[in-house]
Amino acid sequence: MQSSVTIHEIKFNDKVIAIAELFFKEIQGILRPILKITTSRAKKPYVNHYFKDENERALKLSAYEKRLIEIELEKIERRSSKKIQTEKFKEALKVGDILSCSWGWEQTNVDFYQVVSINDKKTKVTIQEMSHVTVDGSEQSHGMACSVKPGEVYGPKIEKTITGEYIKLDRSVSLSKWDGKACYKSWYA
């Protein structure tokens, strides 16, 4: 048996971020206070608990409400921080800069790209892949260090969008500014 439901809206900046349902339900022969909280985007409840008494439920509701508001504040902070980092990356990025990425499964692949052009708004960048060479004395049975071969670009020019502190090459590979140090490259079998 379940009692009628009291709805409590959890708001942040006048926007409903979650709905709390407060009701009673018989569990093992005892009428228990229940708290069910569902966030605005969730398919499943964030919280779905029963409590000893209404005071315990009220304390937990208050704690969950506080935590959900903290999460919203953290999201704002992350977005703001990302925006600042993106602007710093855009300002620092220059034509001629070298970008690198390390990727792979069961082996490590390394690619280098040179910035060929940047649009006026610094939202798009044109890059071209660069040749790289083995660093002398770094060869091992499973890998080696590699570095850029200065001035040697090849392949088509590719236009990409600047997204954060990196440039997304494809869905699993992102380019960042190369620090000038040799990168480890390996192979399988």
Side-chain angles (χ1 to χ4, degrees), residues 148-188:
V148 169
K149 197 169 185 179
E152 285 197 33
V153 292
Y154 66 91
K157 293 180 180 177
I158 307 165
E159 185 176 88
K160 293 292 177 180
T161 302
I162 298 171
T163 53
E165 298 176 73
Y166 55 88
I167 296 162
K168 199 131 178 96
L169 193 56
D170 63 35
R171 74 181 191 139
S172 61
V173 180
S174 298
L175 297 165
S176 55
K177 274 186 101 169
W178 182 48
D179 61 7
K181 297 177 183 172
C183 299
Y184 177 75
K185 180 179 183 176
S186 70
W187 46 84
Y188 180 71

mmCIF file of all heavy atoms in Angstrom, residues 148-188:
data_model
loop_
_atom_site.group_PDB
_atom_site.id
_atom_site.type_symbol
_atom_site.label_atom_id
_atom_site.label_comp_id
_atom_site.label_asym_id
_atom_site.label_seq_id
_atom_site.Cartn_x
_atom_site.Cartn_y
_atom_site.Cartn_z
ATOM 1 N N VAL A 148 59.817 14.808 -34.592
ATOM 2 C CA VAL A 148 59.421 15.425 -35.858
ATOM 3 C C VAL A 148 60.612 15.524 -36.807
ATOM 4 O O VAL A 148 61.730 15.798 -36.390
ATOM 5 C CB VAL A 148 58.853 16.835 -35.584
ATOM 6 C CG1 VAL A 148 58.665 17.619 -36.858
ATOM 7 C CG2 VAL A 148 57.555 16.739 -34.830
ATOM 8 N N LYS A 149 60.325 15.318 -38.071
ATOM 9 C CA LYS A 149 61.326 15.554 -39.114
ATOM 10 C C LYS A 149 61.039 16.975 -39.619
ATOM 11 O O LYS A 149 60.057 17.192 -40.343
ATOM 12 C CB LYS A 149 61.171 14.525 -40.229
ATOM 13 C CG LYS A 149 62.356 14.410 -41.125
ATOM 14 C CD LYS A 149 62.201 13.182 -42.010
ATOM 15 C CE LYS A 149 63.450 12.994 -42.836
ATOM 16 N NZ LYS A 149 63.332 11.802 -43.682
ATOM 17 N N PRO A 150 61.827 17.963 -39.191
ATOM 18 C CA PRO A 150 61.531 19.369 -39.481
ATOM 19 C C PRO A 150 61.263 19.658 -40.957
ATOM 20 O O PRO A 150 61.986 19.190 -41.828
ATOM 21 C CB PRO A 150 62.781 20.106 -39.006
ATOM 22 C CG PRO A 150 63.409 19.187 -38.025
ATOM 23 C CD PRO A 150 63.098 17.802 -38.503
ATOM 24 N N GLY A 151 60.186 20.411 -41.184
ATOM 25 C CA GLY A 151 59.877 20.893 -42.524
ATOM 26 C C GLY A 151 59.238 19.881 -43.457
ATOM 27 O O GLY A 151 58.901 20.233 -44.583
ATOM 28 N N GLU A 152 59.062 18.642 -43.049
ATOM 29 C CA GLU A 152 58.499 17.637 -43.948
ATOM 30 C C GLU A 152 57.039 17.362 -43.615
ATOM 31 O O GLU A 152 56.727 16.643 -42.683
ATOM 32 C CB GLU A 152 59.310 16.342 -43.891
ATOM 33 C CG GLU A 152 60.617 16.450 -44.628
ATOM 34 C CD GLU A 152 61.228 15.087 -44.938
ATOM 35 O OE1 GLU A 152 60.486 14.112 -45.165
ATOM 36 O OE2 GLU A 152 62.459 15.027 -44.953
ATOM 37 N N VAL A 153 56.163 17.971 -44.400
ATOM 38 C CA VAL A 153 54.728 17.721 -44.266
ATOM 39 C C VAL A 153 54.281 16.924 -45.484
ATOM 40 O O VAL A 153 54.904 16.974 -46.534
ATOM 41 C CB VAL A 153 53.914 19.034 -44.155
ATOM 42 C CG1 VAL A 153 54.194 19.729 -42.856
ATOM 43 C CG2 VAL A 153 54.162 19.949 -45.324
ATOM 44 N N TYR A 154 53.228 16.155 -45.320
ATOM 45 C CA TYR A 154 52.707 15.378 -46.446
ATOM 46 C C TYR A 154 51.211 15.176 -46.257
ATOM 47 O O TYR A 154 50.657 15.453 -45.193
ATOM 48 C CB TYR A 154 53.424 14.030 -46.572
ATOM 49 C CG TYR A 154 53.178 13.093 -45.427
ATOM 50 C CD1 TYR A 154 52.130 12.180 -45.473
ATOM 51 C CD2 TYR A 154 53.980 13.110 -44.288
ATOM 52 C CE1 TYR A 154 51.896 11.313 -44.419
ATOM 53 C CE2 TYR A 154 53.754 12.243 -43.237
ATOM 54 C CZ TYR A 154 52.709 11.345 -43.310
ATOM 55 O OH TYR A 154 52.479 10.499 -42.259
ATOM 56 N N GLY A 155 50.568 14.655 -47.274
ATOM 57 C CA GLY A 155 49.143 14.365 -47.183
ATOM 58 C C GLY A 155 48.291 15.607 -47.344
ATOM 59 O O GLY A 155 48.802 16.723 -47.481
ATOM 60 N N PRO A 156 46.987 15.408 -47.315
ATOM 61 C CA PRO A 156 46.069 16.530 -47.522
ATOM 62 C C PRO A 156 46.026 17.480 -46.329
ATOM 63 O O PRO A 156 46.314 17.092 -45.205
ATOM 64 C CB PRO A 156 44.713 15.835 -47.700
ATOM 65 C CG PRO A 156 44.843 14.572 -46.923
ATOM 66 C CD PRO A 156 46.279 14.144 -47.074
ATOM 67 N N LYS A 157 45.652 18.703 -46.622
ATOM 68 C CA LYS A 157 45.411 19.671 -45.548
ATOM 69 C C LYS A 157 44.026 19.371 -44.991
ATOM 70 O O LYS A 157 43.095 19.091 -45.728
ATOM 71 C CB LYS A 157 45.491 21.101 -46.084
ATOM 72 C CG LYS A 157 46.892 21.474 -46.516
ATOM 73 C CD LYS A 157 46.954 22.885 -47.052
ATOM 74 C CE LYS A 157 48.394 23.197 -47.469
ATOM 75 N NZ LYS A 157 48.500 24.526 -48.058
ATOM 76 N N ILE A 158 43.920 19.403 -43.665
ATOM 77 C CA ILE A 158 42.675 19.046 -42.980
ATOM 78 C C ILE A 158 42.225 20.223 -42.134
ATOM 79 O O ILE A 158 43.013 20.777 -41.370
ATOM 80 C CB ILE A 158 42.905 17.830 -42.049
ATOM 81 C CG1 ILE A 158 43.538 16.668 -42.805
ATOM 82 C CG2 ILE A 158 41.605 17.399 -41.401
ATOM 83 C CD1 ILE A 158 44.105 15.596 -41.884
ATOM 84 N N GLU A 159 40.949 20.603 -42.265
ATOM 85 C CA GLU A 159 40.414 21.684 -41.425
ATOM 86 C C GLU A 159 39.695 21.068 -40.228
ATOM 87 O O GLU A 159 38.876 20.174 -40.372
ATOM 88 C CB GLU A 159 39.452 22.560 -42.224
ATOM 89 C CG GLU A 159 38.977 23.764 -41.413
ATOM 90 C CD GLU A 159 38.104 24.707 -42.192
ATOM 91 O OE1 GLU A 159 36.878 24.482 -42.198
ATOM 92 O OE2 GLU A 159 38.648 25.645 -42.789
ATOM 93 N N LYS A 160 40.024 21.551 -39.036
ATOM 94 C CA LYS A 160 39.434 21.046 -37.797
ATOM 95 C C LYS A 160 38.984 22.210 -36.926
ATOM 96 O O LYS A 160 39.496 23.324 -37.033
ATOM 97 C CB LYS A 160 40.445 20.191 -37.022
ATOM 98 C CG LYS A 160 40.806 18.895 -37.721
ATOM 99 C CD LYS A 160 39.617 17.962 -37.739
ATOM 100 C CE LYS A 160 39.908 16.682 -38.495
ATOM 101 N NZ LYS A 160 38.762 15.805 -38.511
ATOM 102 N N THR A 161 38.072 21.917 -35.995
ATOM 103 C CA THR A 161 37.576 22.909 -35.048
ATOM 104 C C THR A 161 38.382 22.822 -33.759
ATOM 105 O O THR A 161 38.695 21.738 -33.300
ATOM 106 C CB THR A 161 36.084 22.647 -34.753
ATOM 107 O OG1 THR A 161 35.375 22.686 -35.984
ATOM 108 C CG2 THR A 161 35.514 23.688 -33.802
ATOM 109 N N ILE A 162 38.688 23.983 -33.190
ATOM 110 C CA ILE A 162 39.391 24.023 -31.902
ATOM 111 C C ILE A 162 38.344 23.801 -30.812
ATOM 112 O O ILE A 162 37.378 24.550 -30.703
ATOM 113 C CB ILE A 162 40.118 25.373 -31.708
ATOM 114 C CG1 ILE A 162 41.169 25.557 -32.804
ATOM 115 C CG2 ILE A 162 40.742 25.449 -30.327
ATOM 116 C CD1 ILE A 162 41.808 26.932 -32.841
ATOM 117 N N THR A 163 38.535 22.745 -30.013
ATOM 118 C CA THR A 163 37.571 22.401 -28.960
ATOM 119 C C THR A 163 38.304 22.210 -27.647
ATOM 120 O O THR A 163 38.773 21.128 -27.346
ATOM 121 C CB THR A 163 36.815 21.104 -29.305
ATOM 122 O OG1 THR A 163 37.770 20.091 -29.606
ATOM 123 C CG2 THR A 163 35.884 21.273 -30.480
ATOM 124 N N GLY A 164 38.416 23.245 -26.907
ATOM 125 C CA GLY A 164 39.114 23.154 -25.619
ATOM 126 C C GLY A 164 40.602 23.356 -25.791
ATOM 127 O O GLY A 164 41.049 24.164 -26.604
ATOM 128 N N GLU A 165 41.381 22.581 -25.034
ATOM 129 C CA GLU A 165 42.835 22.691 -25.077
ATOM 130 C C GLU A 165 43.432 21.747 -26.106
ATOM 131 O O GLU A 165 44.592 21.385 -26.019
ATOM 132 C CB GLU A 165 43.422 22.357 -23.707
ATOM 133 C CG GLU A 165 42.994 23.293 -22.611
ATOM 134 C CD GLU A 165 43.544 22.835 -21.289
ATOM 135 O OE1 GLU A 165 44.747 22.988 -21.061
ATOM 136 O OE2 GLU A 165 42.743 22.333 -20.480
ATOM 137 N N TYR A 166 42.639 21.351 -27.051
ATOM 138 C CA TYR A 166 43.088 20.395 -28.053
ATOM 139 C C TYR A 166 42.280 20.559 -29.325
ATOM 140 O O TYR A 166 41.304 21.304 -29.386
ATOM 141 C CB TYR A 166 42.950 18.966 -27.517
ATOM 142 C CG TYR A 166 41.558 18.641 -27.053
ATOM 143 C CD1 TYR A 166 40.610 18.149 -27.940
ATOM 144 C CD2 TYR A 166 41.171 18.851 -25.732
ATOM 145 C CE1 TYR A 166 39.320 17.876 -27.533
ATOM 146 C CE2 TYR A 166 39.881 18.570 -25.315
ATOM 147 C CZ TYR A 166 38.965 18.078 -26.224
ATOM 148 O OH TYR A 166 37.685 17.802 -25.820
ATOM 149 N N ILE A 167 42.687 19.813 -30.347
ATOM 150 C CA ILE A 167 41.975 19.771 -31.615
ATOM 151 C C ILE A 167 41.622 18.312 -31.854
ATOM 152 O O ILE A 167 42.504 17.456 -31.884
ATOM 153 C CB ILE A 167 42.852 20.336 -32.752
ATOM 154 C CG1 ILE A 167 43.128 21.806 -32.477
ATOM 155 C CG2 ILE A 167 42.187 20.134 -34.104
ATOM 156 C CD1 ILE A 167 44.284 22.375 -33.238
ATOM 157 N N LYS A 168 40.358 18.031 -31.995
ATOM 158 C CA LYS A 168 39.893 16.658 -32.163
ATOM 159 C C LYS A 168 40.164 16.220 -33.598
ATOM 160 O O LYS A 168 39.650 16.800 -34.538
ATOM 161 C CB LYS A 168 38.410 16.576 -31.841
ATOM 162 C CG LYS A 168 37.942 15.209 -31.537
ATOM 163 C CD LYS A 168 37.132 15.239 -30.253
ATOM 164 C CE LYS A 168 36.588 13.896 -29.913
ATOM 165 N NZ LYS A 168 37.363 13.151 -28.998
ATOM 166 N N LEU A 169 40.997 15.185 -33.748
ATOM 167 C CA LEU A 169 41.336 14.663 -35.064
ATOM 168 C C LEU A 169 40.225 13.736 -35.554
ATOM 169 O O LEU A 169 39.805 13.798 -36.693
ATOM 170 C CB LEU A 169 42.674 13.922 -34.995
ATOM 171 C CG LEU A 169 43.341 13.572 -36.309
ATOM 172 C CD1 LEU A 169 43.566 14.801 -37.164
ATOM 173 C CD2 LEU A 169 44.664 12.873 -36.059
ATOM 174 N N ASP A 170 39.783 12.845 -34.690
ATOM 175 C CA ASP A 170 38.616 12.003 -34.950
ATOM 176 C C ASP A 170 37.986 11.678 -33.598
ATOM 177 O O ASP A 170 38.388 12.250 -32.585
ATOM 178 C CB ASP A 170 38.964 10.754 -35.772
ATOM 179 C CG ASP A 170 39.936 9.807 -35.082
ATOM 180 O OD1 ASP A 170 39.878 9.674 -33.845
ATOM 181 O OD2 ASP A 170 40.763 9.196 -35.777
ATOM 182 N N ARG A 171 37.063 10.756 -33.563
ATOM 183 C CA ARG A 171 36.319 10.561 -32.306
ATOM 184 C C ARG A 171 37.164 10.039 -31.152
ATOM 185 O O ARG A 171 36.791 10.162 -29.999
ATOM 186 C CB ARG A 171 35.093 9.695 -32.515
ATOM 187 C CG ARG A 171 35.377 8.268 -32.704
ATOM 188 C CD ARG A 171 34.131 7.461 -32.932
ATOM 189 N NE ARG A 171 34.587 6.084 -32.829
ATOM 190 C CZ ARG A 171 33.948 5.131 -32.235
ATOM 191 N NH1 ARG A 171 32.787 5.363 -31.713
ATOM 192 N NH2 ARG A 171 34.460 3.930 -32.170
ATOM 193 N N SER A 172 38.333 9.462 -31.435
ATOM 194 C CA SER A 172 39.145 8.925 -30.345
ATOM 195 C C SER A 172 40.548 9.522 -30.253
ATOM 196 O O SER A 172 41.324 9.136 -29.395
ATOM 197 C CB SER A 172 39.251 7.399 -30.482
ATOM 198 O OG SER A 172 39.881 7.069 -31.705
ATOM 199 N N VAL A 173 40.874 10.444 -31.124
ATOM 200 C CA VAL A 173 42.225 11.009 -31.142
ATOM 201 C C VAL A 173 42.154 12.537 -31.094
ATOM 202 O O VAL A 173 41.461 13.153 -31.889
ATOM 203 C CB VAL A 173 43.009 10.561 -32.403
ATOM 204 C CG1 VAL A 173 44.402 11.155 -32.415
ATOM 205 C CG2 VAL A 173 43.075 9.047 -32.500
ATOM 206 N N SER A 174 42.910 13.116 -30.147
ATOM 207 C CA SER A 174 42.966 14.576 -30.013
ATOM 208 C C SER A 174 44.404 15.050 -30.108
ATOM 209 O O SER A 174 45.313 14.421 -29.576
ATOM 210 C CB SER A 174 42.389 15.001 -28.666
ATOM 211 O OG SER A 174 41.040 14.628 -28.582
ATOM 212 N N LEU A 175 44.589 16.177 -30.762
ATOM 213 C CA LEU A 175 45.912 16.779 -30.912
ATOM 214 C C LEU A 175 46.098 17.882 -29.884
ATOM 215 O O LEU A 175 45.191 18.666 -29.643
ATOM 216 C CB LEU A 175 46.055 17.404 -32.308
ATOM 217 C CG LEU A 175 45.969 16.460 -33.500
ATOM 218 C CD1 LEU A 175 45.746 17.248 -34.777
ATOM 219 C CD2 LEU A 175 47.231 15.630 -33.600
ATOM 220 N N SER A 176 47.282 17.932 -29.305
ATOM 221 C CA SER A 176 47.623 19.034 -28.408
ATOM 222 C C SER A 176 48.981 19.574 -28.840
ATOM 223 O O SER A 176 49.687 18.948 -29.632
ATOM 224 C CB SER A 176 47.649 18.563 -26.956
ATOM 225 O OG SER A 176 48.524 17.475 -26.807
ATOM 226 N N LYS A 177 49.340 20.736 -28.313
ATOM 227 C CA LYS A 177 50.632 21.326 -28.690
ATOM 228 C C LYS A 177 51.760 20.387 -28.268
ATOM 229 O O LYS A 177 51.795 19.906 -27.138
ATOM 230 C CB LYS A 177 50.812 22.695 -28.046
ATOM 231 C CG LYS A 177 50.186 23.808 -28.874
ATOM 232 C CD LYS A 177 50.503 25.147 -28.315
ATOM 233 C CE LYS A 177 51.616 25.766 -29.109
ATOM 234 N NZ LYS A 177 51.806 27.177 -28.783
ATOM 235 N N TRP A 178 52.664 20.137 -29.186
ATOM 236 C CA TRP A 178 53.804 19.268 -28.925
ATOM 237 C C TRP A 178 54.787 20.007 -28.040
ATOM 238 O O TRP A 178 55.102 21.184 -28.271
ATOM 239 C CB TRP A 178 54.457 18.865 -30.253
ATOM 240 C CG TRP A 178 55.612 17.929 -30.129
ATOM 241 C CD1 TRP A 178 55.670 16.786 -29.410
ATOM 242 C CD2 TRP A 178 56.883 18.066 -30.764
ATOM 243 N NE1 TRP A 178 56.891 16.186 -29.557
ATOM 244 C CE2 TRP A 178 57.665 16.957 -30.390
ATOM 245 C CE3 TRP A 178 57.448 19.003 -31.615
ATOM 246 C CZ2 TRP A 178 58.960 16.765 -30.835
ATOM 247 C CZ3 TRP A 178 58.732 18.807 -32.062
ATOM 248 C CH2 TRP A 178 59.480 17.700 -31.669
ATOM 249 N N ASP A 179 55.297 19.330 -27.009
ATOM 250 C CA ASP A 179 56.221 19.963 -26.060
ATOM 251 C C ASP A 179 57.675 19.920 -26.516
ATOM 252 O O ASP A 179 58.571 20.376 -25.805
ATOM 253 C CB ASP A 179 56.077 19.327 -24.677
ATOM 254 C CG ASP A 179 56.411 17.842 -24.664
ATOM 255 O OD1 ASP A 179 56.885 17.297 -25.694
ATOM 256 O OD2 ASP A 179 56.188 17.206 -23.617
ATOM 257 N N GLY A 180 57.935 19.359 -27.692
ATOM 258 C CA GLY A 180 59.293 19.324 -28.220
ATOM 259 C C GLY A 180 60.091 18.103 -27.796
ATOM 260 O O GLY A 180 61.204 17.893 -28.271
ATOM 261 N N LYS A 181 59.523 17.289 -26.918
ATOM 262 C CA LYS A 181 60.219 16.089 -26.449
ATOM 263 C C LYS A 181 59.863 14.906 -27.342
ATOM 264 O O LYS A 181 58.767 14.842 -27.903
ATOM 265 C CB LYS A 181 59.826 15.766 -25.007
ATOM 266 C CG LYS A 181 60.226 16.830 -24.018
ATOM 267 C CD LYS A 181 59.739 16.476 -22.631
ATOM 268 C CE LYS A 181 60.068 17.591 -21.650
ATOM 269 N NZ LYS A 181 59.444 17.375 -20.351
ATOM 270 N N ALA A 182 60.797 13.951 -27.431
ATOM 271 C CA ALA A 182 60.551 12.744 -28.211
ATOM 272 C C ALA A 182 59.371 11.987 -27.616
ATOM 273 O O ALA A 182 59.151 12.002 -26.405
ATOM 274 C CB ALA A 182 61.795 11.865 -28.219
ATOM 275 N N CYS A 183 58.594 11.331 -28.466
ATOM 276 C CA CYS A 183 57.425 10.575 -28.032
ATOM 277 C C CYS A 183 57.669 9.080 -28.230
ATOM 278 O O CYS A 183 58.290 8.674 -29.209
ATOM 279 C CB CYS A 183 56.204 10.996 -28.854
ATOM 280 S SG CYS A 183 55.768 12.713 -28.678
ATOM 281 N N TYR A 184 57.158 8.270 -27.313
ATOM 282 C CA TYR A 184 57.327 6.823 -27.391
ATOM 283 C C TYR A 184 56.331 6.224 -28.375
ATOM 284 O O TYR A 184 55.156 6.567 -28.380
ATOM 285 C CB TYR A 184 57.124 6.193 -26.010
ATOM 286 C CG TYR A 184 57.215 4.690 -26.033
ATOM 287 C CD1 TYR A 184 58.447 4.062 -26.144
ATOM 288 C CD2 TYR A 184 56.064 3.912 -25.962
ATOM 289 C CE1 TYR A 184 58.545 2.664 -26.172
ATOM 290 C CE2 TYR A 184 56.155 2.530 -25.988
ATOM 291 C CZ TYR A 184 57.385 1.906 -26.096
ATOM 292 O OH TYR A 184 57.466 0.551 -26.142
ATOM 293 N N LYS A 185 56.828 5.326 -29.200
ATOM 294 C CA LYS A 185 56.022 4.634 -30.204
ATOM 295 C C LYS A 185 56.332 3.147 -30.087
ATOM 296 O O LYS A 185 57.497 2.772 -29.928
ATOM 297 C CB LYS A 185 56.408 5.160 -31.588
ATOM 298 C CG LYS A 185 55.684 4.556 -32.729
ATOM 299 C CD LYS A 185 56.161 5.217 -34.027
ATOM 300 C CE LYS A 185 55.400 4.683 -35.211
ATOM 301 N NZ LYS A 185 55.768 5.379 -36.443
ATOM 302 N N SER A 186 55.327 2.299 -30.132
ATOM 303 C CA SER A 186 55.567 0.853 -30.006
ATOM 304 C C SER A 186 54.849 0.102 -31.103
ATOM 305 O O SER A 186 54.076 0.671 -31.869
ATOM 306 C CB SER A 186 55.114 0.360 -28.639
ATOM 307 O OG SER A 186 53.694 0.400 -28.560
ATOM 308 N N TRP A 187 55.064 -1.201 -31.128
ATOM 309 C CA TRP A 187 54.358 -2.055 -32.077
ATOM 310 C C TRP A 187 54.027 -3.368 -31.401
ATOM 311 O O TRP A 187 54.599 -3.728 -30.399
ATOM 312 C CB TRP A 187 55.178 -2.288 -33.355
ATOM 313 C CG TRP A 187 56.593 -2.633 -33.064
ATOM 314 C CD1 TRP A 187 57.108 -3.865 -32.758
ATOM 315 C CD2 TRP A 187 57.687 -1.733 -33.011
ATOM 316 N NE1 TRP A 187 58.449 -3.781 -32.541
ATOM 317 C CE2 TRP A 187 58.842 -2.476 -32.690
ATOM 318 C CE3 TRP A 187 57.830 -0.356 -33.205
ATOM 319 C CZ2 TRP A 187 60.100 -1.908 -32.556
ATOM 320 C CZ3 TRP A 187 59.075 0.205 -33.074
ATOM 321 C CH2 TRP A 187 60.190 -0.562 -32.755
ATOM 322 N N TYR A 188 53.083 -4.054 -31.992
ATOM 323 C CA TYR A 188 52.618 -5.319 -31.444
ATOM 324 C C TYR A 188 53.183 -6.461 -32.261
ATOM 325 O O TYR A 188 53.186 -6.422 -33.479
ATOM 326 C CB TYR A 188 51.083 -5.346 -31.477
ATOM 327 C CG TYR A 188 50.493 -6.624 -30.938
ATOM 328 C CD1 TYR A 188 50.547 -6.887 -29.584
ATOM 329 C CD2 TYR A 188 49.892 -7.543 -31.779
ATOM 330 C CE1 TYR A 188 49.998 -8.052 -29.068
ATOM 331 C CE2 TYR A 188 49.354 -8.705 -31.276
ATOM 332 C CZ TYR A 188 49.403 -8.949 -29.921
ATOM 333 O OH TYR A 188 48.874 -10.114 -29.417
#
